[in-house]
Amino acid sequence: MGALTPAETAEVEQLLVTHPELKAEVEAFRLSLDHLDASLATPPPVTVKPLVFATIDYFERAAQGKISTHPIPQLSEQTRAEDFAHWLNDPAYGIPADFNEYHAIILGLTPTQTTALAWVQSGAPMESHEDYIEKFYVLEGTCELVIDNVSHSLKAGDFISVPLFQKHYLQVTSQNPCKLILQRTAA
Amino acid sequence: MSPAIPTVKNALDEAFLHQLQSGDKAAFARLYDDYSAAIYGVLKFILKSEALAEDVLQESFVKIWMNIKAYDRSKGTIFSWMISIARNGAIDMLRSKNYRQGSKNQSILNSVPIAVDRDTEKKVDSIGMGSLLEKLSADQREVIDLLYYQGFTQVEAADKLQIPLGTVKTRARAALKLLRSELDE
């Protein structure tokens, strides 16, 4: 129960044992707060869900010993697709048969950096980041990355870095999904 | 169009819970679809930042997946269980930011507001006000924000607001009574 300290919570729990009629009160209290929380509902950015599943998948692969110790290349102007050959040549890192709009496979995950192979069909909505610098390297397809109202046309082999706090969105311009490496580094 | 509010009054279907706890990802995807909007809304309210809310939302659902076997009905509804995971993540985020900003007292009581751009702040506030919070008086809203969303104890809230502890309790009780009457409608 959010409004009470741990000591107060323990006290309440003790009271519930000795006074079962209070249980209804406490239930109502919880439900009121649930109701309040639910009333704040607003749709989250569509890119969160694929990243949640990519993260879960990454931990599962790690548990099965399937994560390689191959060092993760740092994205920069000097990046080339061959830097990622270790993953790109592995069929386990392919686009899924039921691909729909987004798919991401995390290549590396540390407290300060997330690197993922991603496919985007149409685009990604406007967002900005305050905790990490986001970098992209395009592998296939073409897209427009609009950063702070300035449009950048990207194609295979192109690299771009998004400054902190800058609002940006992605529009895929190729028929086929845009395949890219996404790297988020703690700022 | 207002987003669908999950039916928090209903206990989670036993079969669905069993699926979740057996590691069924399709079931987890449904859980995300049903509850992510509410959790994101709460996070936006606490963090006053869409960027941070997005990050904590992602972390929260990963934690929910990792800990789903630890959930049982004695912990309340799955919704309140998920919300408390998210809320704790947000409070941790706020505290670590305050720590990094090196505020002299290192105390959440003197926390420096996180810099957000004006557009986001305006949008977040107006979304927050469309909720049940709008039904509370400003005094009640302030107390609920500190106690429930920001993780302050009643004593800390009294200190921050510079009002007697009794007043904090009275306002909290009045707010909850009002919210409860909304629920009963």
Side-chain angles (χ1 to χ4, degrees):
Chain A
M1 287 195 275
L4 305 177
T5 62
E8 287 167 331
T9 305
E11 225 177 86
V12 172
E13 271 159 20
Q14 185 50 40
L15 270 177
L16 291 183
V17 169
T18 53
H19 296 83
E21 70 278 8
L22 284 181
K23 198 154 185 240
E25 277 296 311
V26 171
E27 281 308 307
F29 166 81
R30 269 185 184 147
L31 282 173
S32 298
L33 291 174
D34 282 359
H35 203 59
L36 170 62
D37 290 335
S39 74
L40 289 166
T42 176
V46 292
T47 46
V48 175
K49 190 179 178 185
L51 287 172
V52 168
F53 281 87
T55 308
I56 288 169
D57 172 68
Y58 177 84
F59 287 133
E60 277 176 5
R61 284 184 284 131
Q64 291 157 17
K66 287 181 182 168
I67 304 293
S68 80
T69 50
H70 198 275
I72 304 287
Q74 297 298 301
L75 290 189
S76 73
E77 295 284 356
Q78 282 71 49
T79 298
R80 299 169 316 155
E82 300 88 88
D83 299 342
F84 290 88
H86 176 82
W87 296 276
L88 298 177
N89 296 336
D90 185 341
Y93 293 87
I95 192 171
D98 60 350
F99 171 75
N100 179 35
E101 283 306 325
Y102 303 99
H103 188 67
I105 302 179
I106 292 180
L107 308 182
L109 186 65
T110 73
T112 52
Q113 191 174 79
T114 303
T115 307
L117 182 57
W119 290 262
V120 184
Q121 181 69 61
S122 339
M126 180 96 84
E127 48 181 38
S128 62
H129 309 296
E130 50 181 277
D131 271 358
Y132 48 82
I133 308 259
E134 198 165 61
K135 294 177 183 169
F136 299 96
Y137 178 80
V138 180
L139 292 164
E140 289 172 19
T142 59
C143 59
E144 295 285 314
L145 184 66
V146 183
I147 303 175
D148 203 25
N149 294 319
V150 177
S151 188
H152 305 263
S153 294
L154 304 170
K155 60 188 187 306
D158 287 345
F159 161 82
I160 192 161
S161 179
V162 182
L164 270 183
F165 301 111
Q166 298 265 282
K167 288 197 200 294
H168 55 284
Y169 65 92
L170 185 74
Q171 247 167 359
V172 175
T173 47
S174 51
Q175 284 272 54
N176 291 333
C178 193
K179 180 178 176 181
L180 45 92
I181 304 283
L182 161 69
Q183 194 166 68
R184 291 176 169 178
T185 309
Chain B
M1 187 185 100
S2 64
I5 292 176
T7 46
V8 298
K9 294 186 196 183
N10 305 330
L12 199 68
D13 183 275
E14 270 304 333
F16 185 42
L17 180 59
H18 181 75
Q19 282 176 315
L20 287 170
Q21 294 183 323
S22 311
D24 182 336
K25 293 216 182 110
F28 187 64
R30 282 203 308 276
L31 189 74
Y32 182 91
D33 291 342
D34 286 348
Y35 293 106
S36 57
I39 294 173
Y40 181 61
V42 167
L43 290 173
K44 267 177 85 164
F45 179 73
I46 299 174
L47 294 164
K48 307 286 188 271
S49 156
E50 287 181 344
L52 294 180
E54 193 181 322
D55 294 344
V56 179
L57 179 69
Q58 192 182 315
E59 283 163 19
S60 299
F61 267 92
V62 173
K63 280 182 204 164
I64 288 164
W65 171 260
M66 297 300 185
N67 293 289
I68 193 77
K69 289 201 175 89
Y71 167 75
D72 64 69
R73 288 187 198 292
S74 71
K75 297 194 160 113
T77 62
I78 196 163
F79 181 60
S80 57
W81 180 75
M82 293 195 292
I83 286 280
S84 76
I85 287 173
R87 214 174 57 237
N88 290 335
I91 290 168
D92 285 347
M93 167 75 84
L94 284 177
R95 287 179 181 170
S96 82
K97 280 197 163 267
N98 285 330
Y99 180 79
R100 289 205 306 259
Q101 277 170 4
S103 48
K104 281 195 172 156
N105 293 357
Q106 301 269 323
S107 160
I108 196 168
L109 300 178
N110 298 295
S111 58
V112 176
I114 293 163
V116 292
D117 71 282
R118 299 222 136 158
D119 289 338
T120 305
E121 202 167 40
K122 242 187 283 180
K123 228 200 306 184
V124 169
D125 281 348
S126 64
I127 283 170
M129 291 306 288
S131 73
L132 280 179
L133 288 170
E134 214 174 27
K135 311 255 179 180
L136 304 175
S137 72
D139 286 343
Q140 291 166 352
R141 200 155 47 234
E142 194 174 46
V143 160
I144 289 289
D145 182 18
L146 291 180
L147 293 184
Y148 181 51
Y149 290 108
Q150 308 284 337
F152 281 51
T153 62
Q154 291 180 325
V155 169
E156 285 169 347
D159 191 43
K160 173 137 179 130
L161 297 173
Q162 290 293 292
I163 57 177
L165 180 61
T167 309
V168 169
K169 293 186 182 190
T170 307
R171 288 182 188 171
R173 211 170 291 133
L176 288 169
K177 197 171 163 191
L178 211 149
L179 291 173
R180 181 168 177 184
S181 68
E182 286 291 321
L183 184 71
D184 290 340
E185 270 164 29

